[in-house]
């Protein structure tokens, strides 16, 4: 059963979510057939399965599974032995509360709980580092850049010690985004490029190279470095044409809309407008991208209104501003 669990987790980390969901059915049938182990061990294995389902649900687009899978564990976590499953359950719930529910205080409480537990389990370097990474994500989400940077640096040091290349790449990407928000353009480029260089050397997972390229496109467009943005976009387009799936398509469309918006041609800006509208109506947990799509769309509509002074455009602009604020 443990072997099936680790296979499933590996599939999820590799971004093969449908295959992972299929394995869950097999694990559930194995658990039901077990009769020669203690109730405590069986409960621990059920908890492990539930946490894995929540992880796959969060990253595989079935977010309703997160609360369903974790609720019984988190409500009675004091009854469990301190283990990585409970640490992981708290971190997944923290991510869900942040990305899906925007409940920042509850998110922070779950990360604090996870870190407290991580300090008490064996072989805990990975989990302590992961908690620091989550604190970094939390603090950038509430606009506390200096605190976010502090936690990202801590996490990076720990992951370098245990040579976790995948998580080092994630942190370099996060720090690149953070430096971009702080106006440190060259540092942002340096960290994002370093993340790409590392991702090219390891197997691709649910966090993959195209996400970092999208960050580079956003960064370079926002700094008016359109020539470099075009170079990154061509690279992303090549990846998109090879892979073509829903996860890549969403980021690709956003990047394409950004590039089209930088064009001086009216028809390109019109195409960008349509793409931003399409993205806004997409069902996704990438709320940060949806917010950016709203902002860029409103910017285009404002430019149109200044040129045409058309009341219909003004009404549409107000509609999207109101939608952004809700």
């Amino acid at each position: 059963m443990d072997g099936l669990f680790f296979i499933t987790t590996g599939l999820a980390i590799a971004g093969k979510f449908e295959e992972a969901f299929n394995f869950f059915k097999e694990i559930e049938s194995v658990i039901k057939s077990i009769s020669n182990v203690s109730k405590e061990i069986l409960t621990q294995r059920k908890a492990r399965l539930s946490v894995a389902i929540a992880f796959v649900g969060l990253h595989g687009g079935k977010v309703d599974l997160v609360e369903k899978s974790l609720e019984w564990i988190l409500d009675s976590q004091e009854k469990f032995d301190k283990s990585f499953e409970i640490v992981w359950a708290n971190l997944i719930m923290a991510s869900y509360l942040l990305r899906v529910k925007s409940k920042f205080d509850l998110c922070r409480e779950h990360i604090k709980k996870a870190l407290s537990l991580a300090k008490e389990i064996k072989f805990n370097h990975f989990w302590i580092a992961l908690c620091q990474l989550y604190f970094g994500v939390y603090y950038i989400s509430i606009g506390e850049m200096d605190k976010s940077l502090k936690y990202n640096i801590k996490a990076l040091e720990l992951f370098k010690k245990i040579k976790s290349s995948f998580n080092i790449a994630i942190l370099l990407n996060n720090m690149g985004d953070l430096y971009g928000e702080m106006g440190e353009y060259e540092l942002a480029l340096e960290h994002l490029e370093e993340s790409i260089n590392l991702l090219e050397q390891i197997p691709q997972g649910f966090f993959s190279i195209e996400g970092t390229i999208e960050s580079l496109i956003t960064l370079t467009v926002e700094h008016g470095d359109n020539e470099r943005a075009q170079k990154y976009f061509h690279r992303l387009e090549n990846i998109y044409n090879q892979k073509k799936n829903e996860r890549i398509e969403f980021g690709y469309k956003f990047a394409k809309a950004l590039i089209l918006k930088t064009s001086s041609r009216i028809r390109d800006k019109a195409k960008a407008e349509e793409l931003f509208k399409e993205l806004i109506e997409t069902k996704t947990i990438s709320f940060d991208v949806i917010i950016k799509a709203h902002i860029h769309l409103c910017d285009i509509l404002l430019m149109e209104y200044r040129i045409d002074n058309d009341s219909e455009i003004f009404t549409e602009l107000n509609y999207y501003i109101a939608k952004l604020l809700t």
Side-chain angles (χ1 to χ4, degrees), residues 85-150:
E85 291 95 345
I86 310 305
V87 175
W88 199 13
N90 276 282
L91 290 177
I92 294 168
M93 182 57 77
S95 184
Y96 171 76
L97 290 166
L98 182 68
R99 296 169 62 188
V100 180
K101 297 294 186 179
S102 298
K103 294 183 177 179
F104 300 104
D105 290 344
L106 282 174
C107 166
R108 185 185 67 246
E109 290 307 310
H110 278 286
I111 302 172
K112 284 171 67 177
K113 180 68 174 178
L115 181 57
S116 174
L117 290 168
K119 289 177 179 178
E120 297 185 49
I121 64 175
K122 294 179 180 179
F123 312 112
N124 60 5
H125 296 85
F126 173 86
W127 295 104
I128 290 173
L130 198 61
C131 290
Q132 305 288 356
L133 186 158
Y134 272 69
F135 268 127
V137 173
Y138 163 74
Y139 279 112
I140 194 174
S141 298
I142 62 171
E144 295 193 30
M145 307 302 179
D146 290 337
K147 280 189 177 180
S148 178
L149 184 59
K150 181 184 78 171

Side-chain angles (χ1 to χ4, degrees), residues 258-281:
L258 284 180
I259 295 294
L260 288 167
K261 187 190 169 198
T262 65
S263 172
S264 59
R265 304 189 70 174
I266 293 173
R267 70 177 185 180
D268 286 340
K269 290 188 185 297
K271 289 177 183 176
E273 181 180 330
E274 291 308 309
L275 279 172
F276 284 131
K277 287 178 179 177
E278 186 180 330
L279 290 165
I280 286 167
E281 299 304 322

Side-chain angles (χ1 to χ4, degrees), residues 134-279:
Y134 272 69
F135 268 127
V137 173
Y138 163 74
Y139 279 112
I140 194 174
S141 298
I142 62 171
E144 295 193 30
M145 307 302 179
D146 290 337
K147 280 189 177 180
S148 178
L149 184 59
K150 181 184 78 171
Y151 280 105
N152 276 299
I153 290 170
K154 279 184 183 179
L156 186 60
E157 289 172 354
L158 289 169
F159 278 127
K160 281 183 175 179
K161 283 181 181 178
I162 60 175
K163 298 180 180 179
S164 179
S165 298
F166 182 70
N167 287 290
I168 291 169
I170 291 175
L171 277 159
L172 289 168
N173 176 86
N174 291 356
M175 291 173 74
D177 288 340
L178 179 57
Y179 280 124
E181 292 287 338
M182 296 170 76
E184 299 282 356
Y185 183 55
E186 293 302 327
L187 275 173
L189 280 177
E190 179 186 326
H191 281 76
L192 290 169
E193 286 281 11
E194 194 176 345
S195 177
I196 285 179
N197 291 338
L198 189 53
L199 286 166
E200 287 176 331
Q201 300 171 41
I202 60 177
Q204 298 290 290
F206 70 90
F207 179 83
S208 54
I209 198 167
E210 52 267 17
T212 304
I213 296 173
E214 289 160 20
S215 292
L216 279 163
I217 293 167
T218 301
L219 175 72
T220 48
V221 165
E222 287 176 353
H223 282 78
D225 195 347
N226 294 339
E227 186 177 340
R228 186 174 270 168
Q230 284 281 358
K231 182 187 74 172
Y232 290 129
F233 179 70
H234 289 316
R235 188 171 180 182
L236 179 64
E237 194 166 41
N238 287 335
I239 295 172
Y240 171 70
N241 288 332
Q242 290 170 23
K243 294 185 178 180
K244 282 196 178 177
N245 60 53
E246 286 183 12
R247 290 173 62 236
I248 296 174
E249 186 176 20
F250 183 78
Y252 169 75
K253 283 182 177 179
F254 179 72
K256 185 175 182 178
L258 284 180
I259 295 294
L260 288 167
K261 187 190 169 198
T262 65
S263 172
S264 59
R265 304 189 70 174
I266 293 173
R267 70 177 185 180
D268 286 340
K269 290 188 185 297
K271 289 177 183 176
E273 181 180 330
E274 291 308 309
L275 279 172
F276 284 131
K277 287 178 179 177
E278 186 180 330
L279 290 165

